[in-house]
Amino acid sequence: MSTQQPRVSIIVPVYNTARFLHQCLDSLCAQTLQDIEIICIDDGSTDTSPDILASYACADERIRVISKENSGYGDSMNRGLDAARGTYLGIVESDDFASPHMFERLLKTMERFDADVVKSNYYEHENGGTDTTGNDRIIRVFDGFGLPYGRLFNPYDYQGVFQVRPCIWTGLYRRSLLQCYDIRFLATPGASFQDTSFNFKVWALFERAVLLSEPLLHYRVDNEASSVKSDTKLYAVCDEYRSSEEFLARYPVARRRYAKVLNTVRLKTYWWNYYRIAPEYREEFLEQASAEFKREANAGNLVESFFSPRGWKTVNELIADPQAFAAVCTEDGWF
């Protein structure tokens, strides 16, 4: 392994993704940007993923493999953050794959604007195999939020960026700022949604951002083993918002700027979570959500101007009577 600092570190968390892992690693080894390190964290895989990782590490000195007992995605990501040496940091899930010029394009944009974070749109890859042609749909995730493409902006001036799906794997981050602000992942074993608080913290404190219109990452939507398809992690998303609140408490300026917008994002995320958990747990989840929004209202962090008219109506009905809300709410009627 080279002792020279690479320009970009790419973290690849791995857990039982042998079916897709070759395609992911091939896409990273073939990047037009050569000055990278690829840090693969094997989270105690029980399939052939460890063997695949070992073979790629032998073939390409830029690949580093960290093996550990199964402790979850958040801990894997934190291990990657600790091991990274690059000036900038990228993330690629092990069942996704990158366009050949992804990291060269992100890096050139980062350096051109002296940015703290650069993100792009992405493709949805729906083919169950490893075909890379003709089946991917472009997801323009940043459209519709009043955000600028191709120029430097401060998230404080364009707070619609907080409403965008996290998609932390489409970006490049200035690693020194992640370290400075101690931006890490929740390491709760078995939890999910750990991208939620990470994404919020980045937008809250990274003041120099650029968005790219072109898609660069192929995001797989048909992996049945993906953690986001589980219905058992009832309060994992609540843990993410508690982490964001605790983070804001450490940074008073960010708290004044974003404590209110955090609750509009919370409503949107809880709507999404409500319709993906098992029906028998929904009433219990609404009770928790109601208590959180009531607490935020008492703290002065629920402000009507931050919500759409429908969203403001929803959050007040949820606070007033979560059981009655459960009886009348519809999937398209929260905000």
Side-chain angles (χ1 to χ4, degrees), residues 74 78 181-188 191-202 204-205 235-251 254-255 258-259 262-263 266 270 288 292 295-296:
N78 288 337
Y181 295 125
D182 194 26
I183 297 177
R184 298 173 68 80
F185 291 79
L186 286 186
T188 308
S192 55
F193 306 101
Q194 280 102 332
D195 56 352
T196 302
S197 61
F198 179 89
N199 183 69
F200 179 83
K201 294 166 187 177
V202 165
L205 288 179
Y235 296 122
V237 69
C238 303
D239 294 338
E240 290 294 307
Y241 279 92
R242 184 173 63 253
S243 176
S244 295
E245 292 167 3
E246 293 170 351
F247 184 79
L248 288 180
R250 304 201 323 252
Y251 299 101
R255 185 179 184 183
Y258 302 121
L262 179 63
N263 284 306
R266 189 196 312 255
Y270 283 13
Q288 173 68 24
E292 291 182 20
R295 182 200 65 220
E296 289 298 291

Side-chain angles (χ1 to χ4, degrees), residues 132-323:
T132 62
T133 61
N135 297 311
D136 290 3
R137 181 167 66 99
I138 295 174
I139 303 300
R140 299 185 58 82
V141 67
F142 295 105
D143 288 10
F145 293 95
L147 302 171
Y149 281 116
R151 66 178 178 85
L152 196 67
F153 73 96
N154 189 328
Y156 179 67
D157 300 320
Y158 291 88
Q159 295 190 16
V161 75
F162 288 92
Q163 305 293 336
V164 177
R165 177 180 181 172
C167 55
I168 62 173
W169 19 261
T170 71
L172 203 59
Y173 308 87
R174 188 179 296 276
R175 189 169 66 88
S176 61
L177 286 185
L178 293 174
Q179 294 176 310
C180 175
Y181 295 125
D182 194 26
I183 297 177
R184 298 173 68 80
F185 291 79
L186 286 186
T188 308
S192 55
F193 306 101
Q194 280 102 332
D195 56 352
T196 302
S197 61
F198 179 89
N199 183 69
F200 179 83
K201 294 166 187 177
V202 165
W203 290 131
L205 288 179
F206 283 33
E207 297 185 343
R208 301 177 62 83
V210 181
L211 302 178
L212 297 179
S213 178
E214 66 184 289
L216 294 172
L217 189 281
H218 299 256
Y219 171 73
R220 190 178 302 276
V221 296
D222 54 5
N223 178 8
E224 295 178 357
S226 176
S227 63
V228 299
K229 303 292 180 68
S230 170
D231 290 337
T232 61
K233 301 162 185 176
L234 187 59
Y235 296 122
V237 69
C238 303
D239 294 338
E240 290 294 307
Y241 279 92
R242 184 173 63 253
S243 176
S244 295
E245 292 167 3
E246 293 170 351
F247 184 79
L248 288 180
R250 304 201 323 252
Y251 299 101
V253 173
R255 185 179 184 183
R256 289 195 298 271
R257 289 179 169 182
Y258 302 121
K260 297 177 179 64
V261 75
L262 179 63
N263 284 306
T264 67
V265 183
R266 189 196 312 255
L267 181 65
K268 186 175 183 178
T269 308
Y270 283 13
W271 161 81
W272 180 78
N273 189 58
Y274 179 78
Y275 288 104
R276 63 171 292 283
I277 60 179
E280 60 266 29
Y281 299 122
R282 289 178 176 175
E283 184 175 324
E284 180 182 345
F285 178 74
L286 286 183
E287 292 284 353
Q288 173 68 24
S290 176
E292 291 182 20
F293 282 116
K294 184 175 182 178
R295 182 200 65 220
E296 289 298 291
N298 291 336
N301 291 329
L302 284 187
V303 177
E304 183 174 1
S305 61
F306 281 77
F307 292 84
S308 68
R310 179 181 287 182
W312 185 245
K313 180 174 182 288
T314 293
V315 76
N316 281 284
E317 289 177 348
L318 180 56
I319 290 171
D321 192 337
Q323 292 184 356

Side-chain angles (χ1 to χ4, degrees), residues 29 40 76 155 196:
C29 292
C40 302
S76 292
T196 302

